[in-house]
């Protein structure tokens, strides 16, 4: 299918089983997955998610995800950084992006606290996206939000029409006005 990145969700922490044992199993599985994926030029991504909506997820901070990636030791094992989840769990988005940029292979965005499109919550996406650009991020940015409008296309008003439906260079969005215009 041509997919060059796969998200390997780690799953929930299981009560009654030692956390370190669970992480060790995750390390073994990620190592196996990364080794298999390497044969096809694919990166395996690890994502930390918030525990407010996802229950007792085993990885809920960027540091936990990066520590796991480091402990597996595969060059094709990277971080999928979800701005929404990490705003909910740890805040300090810009510092975190800058600090862990070398690990980040994919970014996902939604606004917090209601997981709407950029401009519907508390995250200053104009600033966050400009920091990604200035930091040299070259990967994709996935839109993983719940549209506030009944029609998804209507929720894209924050993104200029000329930038919808394909690859977009971060340089093209530096002057975005991320105000809600619905």
């Amino acid at each position: 299918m041509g997919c060059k990145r796969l998200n390997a969700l780690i799953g929930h922490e299981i009560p009654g089983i030692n956390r370190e044992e669970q992480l060790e199993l995750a390390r073994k599985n990620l190592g196996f997955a990364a080794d298999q994926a390497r044969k096809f030029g694919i990166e395996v991504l690890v994502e930390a998610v918030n525990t407010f909506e996802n229950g007792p997820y085993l990885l809920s901070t960027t540091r936990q995800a990066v520590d796991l990636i480091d402990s597996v030791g595969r060059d094709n094992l990277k971080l999928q950084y979800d701005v929404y989840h990490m705003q909910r769990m740890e805040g300090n988005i810009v510092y975190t992006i800058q600090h862990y940029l070398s690990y980040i292979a994919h970014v996902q965005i939604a606004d917090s606290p209601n997981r709407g499109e950029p401009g519907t919550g508390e995250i200053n996406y104009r600033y966050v996206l400009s920091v990604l650009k200035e930091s040299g991020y070259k990967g994709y940015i996935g839109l993983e939000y719940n549209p506030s409008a009944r029609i998804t296309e209507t929720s894209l008003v924050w993104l200029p029409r000329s930038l919808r439906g394909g690859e977009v260079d971060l340089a093209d969005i530096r002057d975005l006005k991320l105000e809600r215009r619905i």
Side-chain angles (χ1 to χ4, degrees):
M1 294 182 62
C3 180
K4 294 297 179 186
R5 292 188 176 98
L6 300 172
N7 186 358
L9 294 170
I10 301 304
H12 287 123
E13 188 168 345
I14 301 168
I17 299 177
N18 179 283
R19 179 177 170 77
E20 186 51 42
E21 289 178 37
Q22 293 177 62
L23 289 170
E24 184 56 34
L25 179 58
R27 284 184 199 96
K28 289 179 185 175
N29 288 336
L30 286 171
F32 175 80
D35 291 343
Q36 299 307 307
R38 180 181 292 110
K39 298 173 188 176
F40 302 98
I42 295 173
E43 291 178 324
V44 175
L45 307 181
V46 173
E47 178 182 12
V49 301
N50 82 72
T51 57
F52 300 107
E53 293 131 327
N54 297 287
Y57 201 75
L58 197 56
L59 303 175
S60 60
T61 68
T62 306
R63 176 81 255 159
Q64 289 174 342
V66 167
D67 285 348
L68 184 62
I69 290 167
D70 283 344
S71 71
V72 175
R74 303 297 196 284
D75 62 354
N76 65 326
L77 188 59
K78 301 287 184 179
L79 179 64
Q80 179 164 305
Y81 186 77
D82 190 308
V83 175
Y84 168 77
H85 286 304
M86 293 305 93
Q87 174 66 11
R88 300 276 288 150
M89 291 305 297
E90 59 193 13
N92 213 7
I93 298 300
V94 169
Y95 169 82
T96 304
I97 288 170
Q98 292 170 327
H99 189 76
Y100 295 110
L101 186 66
S102 64
Y103 289 90
I104 298 173
H106 183 73
V107 173
Q108 290 179 198
I109 64 174
D111 219 330
S112 179
N114 297 318
R115 201 178 189 130
E117 64 268 15
T120 61
E122 65 192 14
I123 301 172
N124 180 349
Y125 270 108
R126 173 189 264 175
Y127 181 60
V128 170
L129 294 172
S130 72
V131 166
L132 278 167
K133 176 189 176 292
E134 291 163 10
S135 298
Y137 178 72
K138 302 285 187 214
Y140 287 99
I141 297 174
L143 307 178
E144 190 183 49
Y145 61 78
N146 298 317
S148 60
R150 291 181 57 189
I151 302 170
T152 300
E153 290 79 8
T154 304
S155 77
L156 293 171
V157 297
W158 66 274
L159 185 61
R161 185 172 299 284
S162 63
L163 301 179
R164 299 178 199 172
E167 289 188 28
V168 175
D169 187 312
L170 280 174
D172 295 335
I173 58 176
R174 69 178 167 268
D175 297 321
L176 279 181
K177 290 187 169 99
L178 297 177
E179 293 124 18
R180 189 166 183 210
R181 295 178 270 156
I182 297 174

